[in-house]
Structure formats: structure tokens, C-alpha cells
Amino acid sequence: MEVLKINNLTKSFGDLEVLKGINLSVNKGEVLSIIGSSGSGKSTLLRCLNELEEPNSGEIIFEGVNLLDSKININQLRQEIGMVFQNFNLFENLDVLENCLIAPLKVLHLDKKSAEKRAIKHLHAVGLSDFIHADTRSLSGGQKQRVAIARALCMEPKIMLFDEPTSALDPEISGEVLDVIKDLANQGMTMVIVTHEMAFARSVSDQVVFMDQGIILEKGTPNEIFTHPKKTRTKEFLKRYL
């Protein structure tokens, strides 16, 4: 069952064409990883999926609804699309639990008891039971990113988008974040992940997309992309990592 389908998506910034007719689909419970060099359009594509960037043309069909239809309430649909950024984007004036309560209280209008129960459940799932009332400024980068994941999960989204979730982290602690994402994959969460972690993409993905200069140059299973890439550019890119 298709959760997300992208048809001929384009995006330009002035004269710079960043996305040049992207076509993709993601099924329920599937993990799609997007790899490629800096400037290939990976993060722009991800940000278009919940309209943090507005595409120039094309379609983004989420559960049968075109997100780019002017009649659509995009804020309502965003509730079902979780997003985790490179740099955490936590509210540093709030503690860990309070960061996770804002959206369930203000957007979903849950009562405080229900919102707290949900938040504590997700904080426990990401290994932060001992940090529920911690000052976010005192946390490590890996802990901050796990709070950000728990916060997104508190909306109980139907799909999760990850934009380079470990790029701001020391390599020694990025593993704790990747383990959380692997756990979500094992639980059947539908995910689109922009990542530079090739071993992780290889192990967790159902399909992998290699982007280059605004197009999808190659896509396939992890085995097809990492073991038997067809395109010269894909081979050159992977040589640097594998």
C-alpha cells in the first residue's frame, strides 16, 4: 500500500534548478534512504515533502491526497508527517518532557495527563527514561537528537522524515541515534531518511535512492545499489565510503 508517491517534482531557487522531475514512491512500513553528494538535492527533496520548501511543479500524494493542492489544509496533514532535523531544533528554555508536550497539547488538543503518558512512553522507547525532566542544554548531541525523535513520535505520525540525523554528531555517539531509527524500522514505521551513513543505509533500507545534480540517477535495493551499482557516478560516489 503506497503511503507516499512523488510525481515529476521540480524545485528551483531563482535560476538554480535543484530538483529536476523527481519520481518516487514509498509503501507502508518501508524505509527509503536517499544518498548523494552535498548539493545533489537530497535535503531539498525531503523539505518539499512537508512543504517546508514549496515545489515549483509536480505532485506529492500522501495517502491519496495531493499535498500541493491549494484546497488542502497542509498544517493538518503535517500532523501525520514527522520530521527530524540535523540540528535538533529543541526549545532550550523547556525541559525534555516539556519539549515533547507542546505539539500534543497545542495541536492535537490532548489533555495534559494523556499527553504526558504519550510523551513518557516515547521517551522511554528512545532510552531517555532517566532524563524526562532534564535541562535540554545539559544533554549530549545524541541525547538531544533522541529527544527530537521522541517529540516527533508524540504526534503519532504515519511517516517519519529524517534529514541527516547524525551529521551534527560525533561519530562515537551517532550510533545511539541510528539504533533508535533501526528500532523504528523494526516496528514497521514508514520512513524516508537522507543520510551519509552508508553502512546504516545498507542495513536498514528497503530501497535506496542515489541523487546527483537534482535527479534520481539510480534506485534499487541496498544490494543493487551498494554491491552492483550500474551508473559510473554511483560507483565513484560509493568508492569514497566503501
Side-chain angles (χ1 to χ4, degrees):
M1 176 183 161
E2 263 179 4
V3 174
L4 186 68
K5 187 171 177 63
I6 303 162
N7 296 320
N8 204 30
L9 196 72
T10 68
K11 172 64 181 175
S12 297
F13 295 100
D15 294 331
L16 179 63
E17 194 176 13
V18 179
L19 300 177
K20 306 169 184 176
I22 301 294
N23 294 286
L24 263 183
S25 63
V26 186
N27 291 328
K28 185 174 182 179
E30 194 169 57
V31 178
L32 168 70
S33 290
I34 304 173
I35 63 173
S37 299
S38 295
S40 60
K42 308 183 304 295
S43 291
T44 299
L45 172 58
L46 202 74
R47 291 171 66 83
C48 283
L49 296 186
N50 63 358
E51 285 200 69
L52 289 176
E53 299 288 356
E54 187 177 348
N56 293 85
S57 63
E59 293 181 320
I60 301 170
I61 311 296
F62 174 65
E63 294 205 314
V65 176
N66 184 8
L67 300 186
L68 305 184
D69 188 327
S70 59
K71 299 172 188 170
I72 294 302
N73 182 342
I74 187 60
N75 288 324
Q76 189 171 358
L77 279 166
R78 275 195 189 122
Q79 295 173 26
E80 300 182 341
I81 304 173
M83 180 91 177
V84 176
F85 300 89
Q86 296 178 32
N87 295 313
F88 327 130
N89 291 4
L90 299 180
F91 296 103
E92 292 196 337
N93 59 318
L94 303 177
D95 71 20
V96 167
L97 180 62
E98 289 166 338
N99 264 275
C100 293
L101 290 178
I102 293 174
L105 290 173
K106 298 200 170 187
V107 179
L108 299 181
H109 305 297
L110 294 184
D111 63 85
K112 190 168 184 185
K113 186 176 179 182
S114 299
E116 285 187 352
K117 184 178 178 182
R118 182 182 290 193
I120 290 168
K121 176 184 80 170
H122 290 301
L123 287 167
H124 175 73
V126 300
L128 291 174
S129 297
D130 294 337
F131 295 87
I132 286 170
H133 295 294
D135 185 332
T136 53
R137 291 167 295 189
S138 71
L139 301 179
S140 70
Q143 289 167 335
K144 287 179 180 179
Q145 193 61 293
R146 284 186 283 153
V147 174
I149 294 171
R151 179 179 62 181
L153 291 172
C154 284
M155 294 297 286
E156 303 204 335
K158 293 180 178 174
I159 187 170
M160 287 279 285
L161 310 178
F162 291 88
D163 186 11
E164 295 276 15
T166 60
S167 67
L169 302 179
D170 185 294
E172 286 188 8
I173 60 171
S174 64
E176 65 192 50
V177 173
L178 299 178
D179 286 343
V180 168
I181 300 172
K182 283 181 182 176
D183 286 343
L184 289 175
N186 292 334
Q187 294 163 29
M189 173 63 77
T190 309
M191 294 188 278
V192 180
I193 307 169
V194 170
T195 184
H196 64 278
E197 304 271 3
M198 296 301 122
F200 169 72
R202 189 172 194 164
S203 67
V204 80
S205 307
D206 296 288
Q207 57 174 326
V208 178
V209 163
F210 174 66
M211 288 188 68
D212 187 54
Q213 297 183 1
I215 66 168
I216 292 175
L217 192 64
E218 193 163 354
K219 61 183 171 182
T221 65
N223 187 53
E224 287 168 339
I225 297 299
F226 291 107
T227 309
H228 305 290
K230 296 186 177 89
K231 303 288 188 180
T232 302
R233 180 72 188 93
T234 315
K235 293 174 186 176
E236 290 171 351
F237 172 80
L238 291 173
K239 264 185 193 174
R240 286 183 284 158
Y241 288 95
L242 302 177

